Amino acid sequence: MQTPFSKHLLFTVSAIPIGAASGFICASVIYSACQLLQWLQHKSISLEDIGLGWEAVLGVSVYFGASFGAVQLPIAYLLF
């Protein structure tokens, strides 16, 4: 039988990949939407020139979204 502490520890550890995945998706959507809005304002520029290539989206999503989500979701679980 699991103690309440080990159950909360298990949930906290399992929240890390969930937070990373959801942060990745959220950051990729936000970054892509912002870049598309910028492109709509300046249609003479190609999408690659404004930084909407796959490598830019993946880089921002991993660096900001996944790292932020992997830290914030376990902290939020422990606080609430």
Side-chain angles (χ1 to χ4, degrees):
M1 186 168 161
Q2 292 181 338
T3 64
F5 177 75
S6 65
K7 185 188 300 185
H8 287 297
L9 183 64
L10 177 67
F11 288 154
T12 303
V13 170
S14 66
I16 293 171
I18 295 169
S22 57
F24 177 85
I25 292 168
C26 184
S28 65
V29 168
I30 291 171
Y31 181 76
S32 299
C34 289
Q35 294 299 81
L36 283 174
L37 286 174
Q38 181 183 358
W39 177 72
L40 286 174
Q41 292 175 350
H42 310 291
K43 285 195 175 187
S44 61
I45 303 171
S46 69
L47 285 175
E48 288 80 18
D49 291 339
I50 64 167
L52 197 58
W54 283 107
E55 57 278 346
V57 174
L58 289 176
V60 168
S61 300
V62 169
Y63 187 74
F64 293 106
S67 58
F68 188 73
V71 171
Q72 292 298 319
L73 187 63
I75 291 173
Y77 171 76
L78 290 175
L79 289 177
F80 297 113

